[in-house]
Amino acid sequence: MFFLFCSKADIEATWLYDQATANHDIDAEILFVEDLYDCRNWHLRVSDDISFAEVILPGGRKINTGNVTLFLNRINSIHHPFWEKKELIERQYFQQEWNAFLLGWLKAFEAVLVNKLSPTSFSGFSGTSLRWSLMAHKAGFVVKPQSYLSDDRDMTCIFTPNISKRTKSLLIFNKKVYCNMELARFSDECLNLAAHCHCNLLEVFVEKRGNGQYKFITANSLPAFSKYSQSFIRAFRFSLIEAQKPLPGKKYKNELVETF
Amino acid sequence: MILICGIPSEPPIELLTNELDIIGANYLLWNQREFNKTNISLFLTAAGRVSGTLQYCDKDYSLENITAIYCRLTDWTTLPEIENDDTNMKLRERCEHIHVLMQLFIDNCQGTVVNRSEDMMSNSSKPYQMFLAKEAGIKIPDTCITTSEEIALDFYEEKQQRVIYKSISGTRSIVQKLKEQDLPNLGKLFFCPTQFQEFAEGQNLRVHVINEATISTAIHSDATDYRYAAKEGGESATLSHTELQAHNKLKCVRFSKDLGLFFSGLDFKQNEAGEITCFEANPMPGYSYYEQSASQPIAYTLACELQKIDEIIT
């Protein structure tokens, strides 16, 4: 089963879900974080010989480590509605507890998660502009010099890079790059970067400078899917179908992790 | 040069700088409370190098000369200079900017960092750490985290009613035994998952891993949570040096490396057969309690490791 966990506000994720399941030939489920409140039995069991995670959806369907074959997670934190009206300290504590649980719960699904789990970002690697640029440089990209001074009034650029109208993007999925012809020459750099940050799914942003040279701007593991070609959708659908095929001697890929 | 970041009077920093003085290491202690005497310029060059200058107490230090960092920063919003003057927005902003830039440098410094914030984040989820411990070949306690009253009750019965519960996140909580009178409260789990664990028999053990070295401390206490032994009405815990079996030392080093930590404090219980079960990895261990109670050379070992790195690179 393909399982997508996202927010109702995440139009890009729901668009991908609709496209991927349009032919009704894929076993799939979607869970919106806003519906979390109605889910029963969030459960994680881990010991020396058990790794099992499960949630029962509002309709009664069970999502667990035994039946999910591909898991796309787009949620990085949980704001449970029950705690939203409580005092700040209490709210923060319970939010930390939910997030800690989610991180452990997702770890149980590691074998089928699209992107490698990171404690800093549950949907895949995330970093400051400086961190991304250092990784991009190692991957072979030309990077923009950056400067930060303690007298700067505005520090937002550390975390949010400036994406302008001149910025163009490339999508990496399953070691293939989806982009327009002009950007295709950055395929190797993109694949290197995706490998460095352990992301199977990654969006990379580059910008053409005055001299015609492209420079790396940033990357993220929450791509806007709808702007990419149908060839990406075909590849994504193919990966879902492949994931649903039983492995020799095993019913599901995730059975590589012992369950009880 | 080694950079030490934090508050000089904080015991782990004080112990470390004392040892660095004794061995004659080349270090700079940046007191975060002196953020007003600090300026930072940080650059990423086109060649992909992090450079810049730390101006501190009227002296300039090139960031490229920093080979190793020990970082034990206190949350800047709790510094007395800020807490006692919450109307001075300019001072607040200054303090925030200095700390943001210092952290940015620490996390992206080419040298050895003890420890980078990204690597310390595993501590935000105990079950996540349990999985990593398991991958490192370390035994873990049977753990059940759930929002379901029914599943929690089943686990309680399965474990013959010998179950403890504690927080899931890195927020410190008192480990407590689940008792019969707690069971009616399990209905509240629906609003927040809770971590239940089989009660592991044995002696508490703290293992500090410093690069490839391990220093182990045995904790003698009858309390469920030895940190709160006196509060539980019992005797305070007593600590003594102990030696781990060689294969367990290797597992600890591997686990710490897998977490990306140069220095860590691992919490275990050890049974009579010498088997160790892991509960948690602390990425910023307040090691002074163990060092002073069991007379162990934790600060000295850390100081020597930092000096070794500094000497090799410079």
Side-chain angles (χ1 to χ4, degrees):
Chain A
M1 178 200 307
F2 167 49
F3 183 52
L4 173 62
F5 187 33
C6 66
S7 160
K8 280 180 181 167
D10 190 348
I11 303 295
E12 290 293 337
T14 45
W15 179 87
L16 178 70
Y17 184 83
D18 290 341
Q19 293 286 317
T21 58
N23 292 353
H24 306 288
D25 56 349
I26 292 191
D27 183 16
E29 275 291 350
I30 187 166
L31 173 63
F32 295 116
V33 68
E34 293 83 355
D35 295 333
L36 189 75
Y37 184 61
D38 298 322
C39 286
R40 291 182 298 117
N41 292 6
W42 279 87
H43 175 213
L44 169 65
R45 181 85 179 256
V46 54
S47 71
D48 291 327
D49 35 36
I50 299 170
S51 298
F52 181 77
E54 183 170 75
V55 62
I56 302 180
L57 300 186
R61 189 163 190 196
K62 289 179 177 178
I63 303 293
N64 60 43
T65 38
N67 62 14
V68 174
T69 52
L70 197 76
F71 188 158
L72 178 58
N73 173 52
R74 303 262 292 186
I75 296 298
N76 281 310
S77 68
I78 288 178
H79 300 267
H80 197 291
F82 180 79
W83 302 107
E84 286 298 287
K85 289 175 190 154
K86 303 284 177 185
E87 276 184 39
L88 183 67
I89 292 180
E90 206 179 358
R91 192 166 74 229
Q92 282 175 337
Y93 173 76
F94 285 103
Q95 192 183 320
Q96 275 176 30
E97 289 293 289
W98 267 104
N99 288 342
F101 171 61
L102 180 62
L103 180 58
W105 193 80
L106 289 168
K107 182 77 179 160
F109 286 93
E110 194 166 49
V112 292
L113 277 173
V114 172
N115 276 347
K116 187 176 161 69
L117 192 60
S118 144
T120 50
S121 172
F122 304 170
S123 54
F125 184 84
S126 97
T128 57
S129 301
L130 182 59
R131 186 94 169 90
W132 272 122
S133 292
L134 283 167
M135 291 179 87
H137 183 268
K138 275 188 195 156
F141 280 105
V142 175
V143 297
K144 262 170 74 172
Q146 295 177 19
S147 110
Y148 304 99
L149 307 172
S150 43
D151 290 332
D152 286 345
R153 298 292 299 169
D154 185 9
M155 295 248 159
T156 50
C157 60
I158 291 175
F159 307 101
T160 319
N162 187 16
I163 294 179
S164 70
K165 282 180 184 167
R166 288 185 300 167
T167 308
K168 291 180 178 174
S169 64
L170 306 91
L171 183 70
I172 300 114
F173 176 65
N174 261 357
K175 297 180 183 167
K176 278 191 181 164
V177 181
Y178 302 87
C179 62
N180 66 31
M181 288 296 286
E182 191 188 358
L183 299 178
R185 61 194 150 121
F186 298 112
S187 290
D188 287 348
E189 290 86 340
C190 285
L191 294 175
N192 289 341
L193 181 61
H196 286 329
C197 64
H198 307 288
C199 281
N200 204 26
L201 181 67
L202 186 72
E203 191 170 28
V204 172
F205 297 87
V206 293
E207 193 173 285
K208 200 174 192 174
R209 312 302 290 175
N211 58 5
Q213 187 186 45
Y214 276 97
K215 288 193 174 175
F216 174 87
I217 299 297
T218 190
N220 81 63
S221 55
L222 295 169
F225 303 108
S226 60
K227 63 185 174 196
Y228 296 98
S229 63
Q230 277 299 311
S231 61
F232 160 65
I233 291 298
R234 279 196 296 277
F236 191 76
R237 273 182 47 76
F238 179 73
S239 73
L240 297 182
I241 291 163
E242 282 296 298
Q244 285 182 182
K245 284 185 187 165
L247 291 175
K250 293 198 165 59
K251 195 173 173 194
Y252 295 112
K253 187 179 173 187
N254 205 37
E255 283 186 338
L256 296 170
V257 177
E258 289 173 66
T259 59
F260 78 108
Chain B
M1 184 173 60
I2 301 161
L3 176 65
I4 311 292
C5 301
I7 298 173
S9 58
E10 235 236 315
I13 291 195
E14 198 176 5
L15 288 174
L16 177 63
T17 50
N18 284 346
E19 296 296 344
L20 289 168
D21 284 333
I22 291 167
I23 63 174
N26 176 25
Y27 76 95
L28 167 67
L29 171 58
W30 179 64
N31 180 355
Q32 65 180 125
R33 291 183 65 179
E34 294 186 319
F35 60 87
N36 233 350
K37 296 178 185 167
T38 308
N39 271 303
I40 302 169
S41 52
L42 184 61
F43 307 107
L44 172 68
T45 66
R49 282 200 71 81
V50 174
S51 68
T53 308
L54 168 65
Q55 286 180 330
Y56 179 53
C57 294
D58 301 322
K59 277 191 177 173
D60 286 3
Y61 303 91
S62 167
L63 295 181
E64 285 187 280
N65 290 339
I66 292 169
T67 53
I69 301 175
Y70 174 74
C71 172
R72 193 177 161 85
L73 290 172
T74 296
D75 176 4
W76 66 266
T77 61
T78 63
L79 295 179
E81 291 75 10
I82 296 300
E83 264 202 329
N84 301 339
D85 192 0
D86 58 2
T87 55
N88 191 339
M89 294 315 285
K90 224 172 169 183
L91 190 74
R92 234 185 133 74
E93 188 181 82
R94 171 99 196 137
C95 184
E96 182 182 9
H97 282 191
I98 294 294
H99 281 88
V100 166
L101 280 193
M102 187 55 96
Q103 194 64 58
L104 189 66
F105 168 63
I106 290 166
D107 286 340
N108 294 286
C109 167
Q110 276 105 353
T112 299
V113 177
V114 185
N115 291 308
R116 288 176 211 271
S117 56
E118 189 182 314
D119 299 321
M120 293 204 285
M121 284 297 288
S122 72
N123 195 43
S124 66
S125 170
K126 292 189 185 96
Y128 179 79
Q129 283 191 337
M130 290 293 100
F131 278 103
L132 295 177
K134 191 173 155 173
E135 285 166 16
I138 294 172
K139 272 174 75 72
I140 55 169
D142 196 349
T143 303
C144 169
I145 306 175
T146 184
T147 58
S148 160
E149 179 181 9
E150 201 185 343
I151 288 173
L153 277 171
D154 284 350
F155 186 73
Y156 181 64
E157 293 304 330
E158 185 189 323
K159 298 294 161 194
Q160 279 86 44
Q161 305 176 355
R162 288 178 62 74
V163 168
I164 56 103
Y165 63 96
K166 59 184 182 182
S167 69
I168 313 169
S169 68
T171 304
R172 204 181 215 205
S173 69
I174 303 174
V175 181
Q176 294 188 76
K177 278 186 183 148
L178 185 65
K179 295 181 186 135
E180 205 70 25
Q181 61 261 38
D182 299 322
L183 303 184
N185 288 328
L186 293 178
K188 292 177 186 168
L189 292 178
F190 184 71
F191 301 107
C192 184
T194 300
Q195 177 169 223
F196 301 94
Q197 244 166 26
E198 66 175 332
F199 181 80
E201 300 288 349
Q203 183 171 53
N204 283 293
L205 199 67
R206 162 58 75 99
V207 179
H208 287 98
V209 180
I210 306 148
N211 196 16
E212 305 264 337
T214 58
I215 297 175
S216 311
T217 318
I219 298 117
H220 313 274
S221 171
D222 291 330
T224 310
D225 189 332
Y226 70 83
R227 299 166 304 180
Y228 302 95
K231 223 176 178 179
E232 279 189 24
E235 300 259 317
S236 291
T238 55
L239 281 63
S240 64
H241 178 78
T242 188
E243 277 297 324
L244 276 184
Q245 293 172 337
H247 71 282
N248 282 334
K249 282 185 186 175
L250 292 176
K251 283 179 185 175
C252 290
V253 171
R254 183 185 157 191
F255 181 34
S256 192
K257 279 197 183 200
D258 286 353
L259 292 167
L261 303 173
F262 188 88
F263 179 36
S264 63
L266 312 180
D267 290 327
F268 296 99
K269 269 205 171 173
Q270 186 172 33
N271 65 17
E272 283 179 359
E275 281 180 336
I276 55 169
T277 302
C278 182
F279 292 89
E280 199 176 334
N282 192 323
M284 199 200 275
Y287 66 88
S288 43
Y289 168 62
Y290 303 90
E291 166 142 351
Q292 289 165 337
S293 306
S295 308
Q296 294 178 306
I298 303 169
Y300 172 75
T301 310
L302 180 59
C304 290
E305 287 288 334
L306 292 173
Q307 192 193 32
K308 217 185 319 173
I309 292 162
D310 188 47
E311 284 177 354
I312 290 168
I313 298 176
T314 52

